[in-house]
Amino acid sequence: MQLYMYVSLILVAAIVIIPLASTALGGFKTLGDLRGNPFGLPTEWQWSNYTDIIFSKRYWLQMSNSLIIALLTVFLTLAFGAMAAFCFAHIRFFGSSYLLNYFLIGLMFPAATAILPLYIRIRDLGLIDTYWGVVLPQVAFGMGMSIMLFRNYFRNLPSELFDAAFVDGCGYMRFFWHVTLPLSRPIIATVGIISFVSSWNNYIVPLIMLNSESRYPWPLGIMIYRGEFSTEWQLVLAFITLTILPTIIAFFLAQKHIIAGLTAGAVKS
């Protein structure tokens, strides 16, 4: 049984690590070496592929654009998702179940299916070619997942805390800010990382909503390495390696909180 478990873990790790390692090594190759030897070590290490990107102003501009959009998305998703989930978890009102299901239906539809009406709405609001034109749709499409995760976590907090707080005269808002949120760091980290990674890797919404290259996030920055007749794939791989590092680092820093948040409520005492 243990041997089967170890073999399964090794296979899963290989499925994840091999593409990442191949991408990172591909960034050190020439285009010819990459085509002839896609998975092996570089014949000659091209360090300039990485250094030219790192020292270019365009790279840091795109990274800062991605960071601004991602942080705004995370903040709004956490704020509105936590407050809405708290209401669904602890407050009973007419139509609450129908309203909750309305939010959860959003999990069934990706942003691409609503891109035309979404573009028209953002245009009518005057937010085309702005950060908010990308942030608000990302928050809207991430709300269903955040409410579901927050609600499940809030409902599994000890009910004795809620009863004791109300006996002491604590209202809903004070209980939310001073009791619920301090106990919810695992799920906050979980929802935050999911929202950050989703925003960081989003391609379709920025592509439709942004026109100015000065506001492009990194997924749109890859297009600069694509020419009319060929693509500099070695630079694309180096660029991708450098841009996915923040999400990998963020995941490892919050790994324990993410696991605790996702497994909350799996076992009910």
Short mmCIF file of all heavy atoms in Angstrom, two decimals, residues 82-83 85-93 154 162-163 165-167 169-181:
data_model
loop_
_atom_site.label_atom_id
_atom_site.label_comp_id
_atom_site.label_asym_id
_atom_site.label_seq_id
_atom_site.Cartn_x
_atom_site.Cartn_y
_atom_site.Cartn_z
N ALA A 82 -16.17 37.58 1.52
CA ALA A 82 -16.27 37.26 2.94
C ALA A 82 -17.55 37.82 3.55
O ALA A 82 -18.24 37.13 4.32
CB ALA A 82 -15.05 37.79 3.69
N MET A 83 -17.89 39.06 3.22
CA MET A 83 -19.10 39.66 3.79
C MET A 83 -20.36 38.95 3.29
O MET A 83 -21.29 38.69 4.07
CB MET A 83 -19.14 41.15 3.47
CG MET A 83 -18.11 41.97 4.23
SD MET A 83 -18.29 43.77 4.03
CE MET A 83 -17.70 43.96 2.34
N ALA A 85 -20.57 35.84 2.18
CA ALA A 85 -20.60 34.48 2.74
C ALA A 85 -21.00 34.49 4.20
O ALA A 85 -21.69 33.58 4.67
CB ALA A 85 -19.22 33.84 2.58
N PHE A 86 -20.60 35.51 4.95
CA PHE A 86 -20.99 35.61 6.35
C PHE A 86 -22.51 35.76 6.48
O PHE A 86 -23.13 35.14 7.36
CB PHE A 86 -20.29 36.81 7.00
CG PHE A 86 -20.63 37.00 8.45
CD1 PHE A 86 -19.98 36.27 9.44
CD2 PHE A 86 -21.61 37.92 8.84
CE1 PHE A 86 -20.30 36.44 10.77
CE2 PHE A 86 -21.93 38.09 10.17
CZ PHE A 86 -21.27 37.35 11.14
N CYS A 87 -23.09 36.55 5.60
CA CYS A 87 -24.55 36.70 5.62
C CYS A 87 -25.23 35.37 5.30
O CYS A 87 -26.20 34.99 5.98
CB CYS A 87 -24.98 37.76 4.61
SG CYS A 87 -24.43 39.44 5.02
N PHE A 88 -24.75 34.66 4.30
CA PHE A 88 -25.37 33.39 3.93
C PHE A 88 -25.16 32.33 5.01
O PHE A 88 -25.98 31.41 5.14
CB PHE A 88 -24.82 32.90 2.60
CG PHE A 88 -25.27 33.69 1.41
CD1 PHE A 88 -24.34 34.26 0.55
CD2 PHE A 88 -26.61 33.88 1.16
CE1 PHE A 88 -24.75 34.99 -0.55
CE2 PHE A 88 -27.04 34.61 0.06
CZ PHE A 88 -26.11 35.17 -0.80
N ALA A 89 -24.07 32.42 5.77
CA ALA A 89 -23.76 31.42 6.77
C ALA A 89 -24.52 31.63 8.08
O ALA A 89 -24.87 30.66 8.76
CB ALA A 89 -22.26 31.39 7.04
N HIS A 90 -24.79 32.90 8.45
CA HIS A 90 -25.30 33.17 9.79
C HIS A 90 -26.63 33.95 9.83
O HIS A 90 -27.24 34.04 10.88
CB HIS A 90 -24.27 33.96 10.60
CG HIS A 90 -23.02 33.20 10.86
ND1 HIS A 90 -22.99 32.04 11.62
CD2 HIS A 90 -21.74 33.41 10.48
CE1 HIS A 90 -21.75 31.58 11.70
NE2 HIS A 90 -20.98 32.39 11.00
N ILE A 91 -27.05 34.51 8.72
CA ILE A 91 -28.27 35.32 8.72
C ILE A 91 -29.31 34.64 7.84
O ILE A 91 -29.04 34.31 6.69
CB ILE A 91 -27.98 36.75 8.21
CG1 ILE A 91 -26.90 37.42 9.07
CG2 ILE A 91 -29.25 37.58 8.21
CD1 ILE A 91 -26.48 38.79 8.58
N ARG A 92 -30.49 34.44 8.39
CA ARG A 92 -31.58 33.84 7.64
C ARG A 92 -32.52 34.95 7.18
O ARG A 92 -33.03 35.73 7.98
CB ARG A 92 -32.35 32.85 8.53
CG ARG A 92 -31.52 31.64 8.96
CD ARG A 92 -31.17 30.77 7.77
NE ARG A 92 -30.36 29.61 8.19
CZ ARG A 92 -29.03 29.59 8.15
NH1 ARG A 92 -28.39 30.67 7.73
NH2 ARG A 92 -28.38 28.53 8.54
N PHE A 93 -32.75 35.03 5.89
CA PHE A 93 -33.67 36.03 5.35
C PHE A 93 -34.38 35.43 4.15
O PHE A 93 -33.95 34.41 3.58
CB PHE A 93 -32.93 37.31 4.96
CG PHE A 93 -31.81 37.11 3.98
CD1 PHE A 93 -32.02 37.20 2.61
CD2 PHE A 93 -30.52 36.82 4.42
CE1 PHE A 93 -30.99 37.01 1.70
CE2 PHE A 93 -29.48 36.64 3.53
CZ PHE A 93 -29.72 36.73 2.16
N PHE A 154 -17.07 29.38 7.37
CA PHE A 154 -17.76 30.10 8.44
C PHE A 154 -18.77 29.20 9.16
O PHE A 154 -18.94 29.29 10.37
CB PHE A 154 -18.49 31.32 7.88
CG PHE A 154 -17.57 32.40 7.38
CD1 PHE A 154 -18.03 33.40 6.54
CD2 PHE A 154 -16.22 32.42 7.76
CE1 PHE A 154 -17.19 34.40 6.09
CE2 PHE A 154 -15.38 33.42 7.31
CZ PHE A 154 -15.85 34.40 6.47
N PHE A 162 -20.49 32.16 18.48
CA PHE A 162 -21.56 33.04 18.00
C PHE A 162 -22.57 33.32 19.11
O PHE A 162 -22.98 34.47 19.31
CB PHE A 162 -22.24 32.37 16.80
CG PHE A 162 -23.13 33.28 16.01
CD1 PHE A 162 -22.59 34.23 15.18
CD2 PHE A 162 -24.50 33.17 16.10
CE1 PHE A 162 -23.41 35.07 14.44
CE2 PHE A 162 -25.33 34.00 15.36
CZ PHE A 162 -24.77 34.95 14.53
N ASP A 163 -22.96 32.28 19.85
CA ASP A 163 -23.94 32.46 20.92
C ASP A 163 -23.38 33.33 22.04
O ASP A 163 -24.07 34.23 22.56
CB ASP A 163 -24.34 31.09 21.48
CG ASP A 163 -25.03 30.22 20.44
OD1 ASP A 163 -25.62 30.79 19.51
OD2 ASP A 163 -24.97 28.97 20.56
N ALA A 165 -21.03 35.59 21.85
CA ALA A 165 -20.88 36.97 21.40
C ALA A 165 -22.20 37.72 21.46
O ALA A 165 -22.24 38.89 21.86
CB ALA A 165 -20.32 36.98 19.98
N PHE A 166 -23.28 37.07 21.08
CA PHE A 166 -24.58 37.74 21.11
C PHE A 166 -25.06 37.95 22.55
O PHE A 166 -25.73 38.95 22.84
CB PHE A 166 -25.61 36.94 20.31
CG PHE A 166 -25.67 37.36 18.87
CD1 PHE A 166 -24.77 36.85 17.96
CD2 PHE A 166 -26.59 38.29 18.43
CE1 PHE A 166 -24.81 37.24 16.64
CE2 PHE A 166 -26.64 38.69 17.11
CZ PHE A 166 -25.75 38.17 16.21
N VAL A 167 -24.72 37.03 23.44
CA VAL A 167 -25.09 37.22 24.85
C VAL A 167 -24.37 38.44 25.42
O VAL A 167 -24.93 39.20 26.22
CB VAL A 167 -24.74 35.95 25.66
CG1 VAL A 167 -24.87 36.23 27.17
CG2 VAL A 167 -25.65 34.80 25.26
N GLY A 169 -23.71 41.06 23.85
CA GLY A 169 -24.16 42.27 23.16
C GLY A 169 -23.41 42.57 21.88
O GLY A 169 -23.46 43.69 21.37
N CYS A 170 -22.72 41.59 21.33
CA CYS A 170 -21.95 41.79 20.08
C CYS A 170 -22.89 41.63 18.89
O CYS A 170 -23.60 40.63 18.76
CB CYS A 170 -20.82 40.77 20.00
SG CYS A 170 -19.76 40.93 18.56
N GLY A 171 -22.91 42.61 18.00
CA GLY A 171 -23.73 42.55 16.81
C GLY A 171 -23.06 41.78 15.69
O GLY A 171 -21.93 41.29 15.83
N TYR A 172 -23.75 41.69 14.56
CA TYR A 172 -23.22 40.94 13.44
C TYR A 172 -21.89 41.53 12.92
O TYR A 172 -20.94 40.79 12.63
CB TYR A 172 -24.24 40.90 12.31
CG TYR A 172 -25.38 39.94 12.55
CD1 TYR A 172 -26.65 40.40 12.84
CD2 TYR A 172 -25.17 38.57 12.48
CE1 TYR A 172 -27.70 39.52 13.06
CE2 TYR A 172 -26.21 37.67 12.69
CZ TYR A 172 -27.48 38.15 12.99
OH TYR A 172 -28.50 37.28 13.22
N MET A 173 -21.83 42.85 12.78
CA MET A 173 -20.63 43.47 12.24
C MET A 173 -19.43 43.28 13.15
O MET A 173 -18.34 42.97 12.70
CB MET A 173 -20.87 44.96 11.98
CG MET A 173 -21.77 45.23 10.78
SD MET A 173 -21.12 44.53 9.24
CE MET A 173 -19.58 45.42 9.09
N ARG A 174 -19.61 43.48 14.46
CA ARG A 174 -18.51 43.30 15.40
C ARG A 174 -18.08 41.85 15.45
O ARG A 174 -16.89 41.55 15.54
CB ARG A 174 -18.92 43.78 16.79
CG ARG A 174 -19.07 45.30 16.91
CD ARG A 174 -19.38 45.70 18.34
NE ARG A 174 -18.29 45.31 19.24
CZ ARG A 174 -18.38 45.37 20.57
NH1 ARG A 174 -19.51 45.79 21.14
NH2 ARG A 174 -17.37 45.01 21.32
N PHE A 175 -19.04 40.94 15.39
CA PHE A 175 -18.68 39.51 15.38
C PHE A 175 -17.90 39.16 14.12
O PHE A 175 -16.94 38.37 14.16
CB PHE A 175 -19.96 38.66 15.46
CG PHE A 175 -19.69 37.19 15.51
CD1 PHE A 175 -19.30 36.57 16.68
CD2 PHE A 175 -19.83 36.41 14.36
CE1 PHE A 175 -19.04 35.20 16.72
CE2 PHE A 175 -19.58 35.05 14.39
CZ PHE A 175 -19.18 34.45 15.57
N PHE A 176 -18.30 39.75 13.00
CA PHE A 176 -17.59 39.48 11.73
C PHE A 176 -16.16 39.99 11.78
O PHE A 176 -15.23 39.25 11.44
CB PHE A 176 -18.35 40.14 10.58
CG PHE A 176 -17.65 40.05 9.25
CD1 PHE A 176 -17.60 38.86 8.56
CD2 PHE A 176 -17.04 41.16 8.70
CE1 PHE A 176 -16.96 38.76 7.34
CE2 PHE A 176 -16.39 41.09 7.47
CZ PHE A 176 -16.35 39.89 6.80
N TRP A 177 -15.96 41.23 12.24
CA TRP A 177 -14.63 41.83 12.21
C TRP A 177 -13.71 41.33 13.32
O TRP A 177 -12.52 41.12 13.10
CB TRP A 177 -14.74 43.36 12.31
CG TRP A 177 -15.25 44.01 11.07
CD1 TRP A 177 -16.47 44.57 10.87
CD2 TRP A 177 -14.54 44.15 9.82
NE1 TRP A 177 -16.58 45.04 9.58
CE2 TRP A 177 -15.40 44.80 8.92
CE3 TRP A 177 -13.27 43.78 9.39
CZ2 TRP A 177 -15.04 45.10 7.62
CZ3 TRP A 177 -12.90 44.09 8.09
CH2 TRP A 177 -13.77 44.73 7.22
N HIS A 178 -14.26 41.12 14.52
CA HIS A 178 -13.42 40.82 15.68
C HIS A 178 -13.35 39.35 16.05
O HIS A 178 -12.47 38.96 16.83
CB HIS A 178 -13.92 41.62 16.89
CG HIS A 178 -13.87 43.10 16.70
ND1 HIS A 178 -12.69 43.80 16.60
CD2 HIS A 178 -14.86 44.03 16.56
CE1 HIS A 178 -12.95 45.09 16.42
NE2 HIS A 178 -14.26 45.25 16.39
N VAL A 179 -14.25 38.53 15.52
CA VAL A 179 -14.24 37.11 15.86
C VAL A 179 -14.02 36.25 14.61
O VAL A 179 -13.11 35.42 14.57
CB VAL A 179 -15.54 36.70 16.57
CG1 VAL A 179 -15.51 35.20 16.91
CG2 VAL A 179 -15.74 37.51 17.85
N THR A 180 -14.86 36.44 13.60
CA THR A 180 -14.82 35.57 12.42
C THR A 180 -13.54 35.73 11.62
O THR A 180 -12.86 34.75 11.32
CB THR A 180 -16.04 35.83 11.53
OG1 THR A 180 -17.23 35.61 12.28
CG2 THR A 180 -16.03 34.91 10.33
N LEU A 181 -13.21 36.96 11.25
CA LEU A 181 -12.04 37.18 10.40
C LEU A 181 -10.73 36.74 11.07
O LEU A 181 -9.88 36.11 10.41
CB LEU A 181 -11.96 38.64 9.97
CG LEU A 181 -12.99 39.09 8.92
CD1 LEU A 181 -12.73 40.52 8.49
CD2 LEU A 181 -12.97 38.17 7.71
#
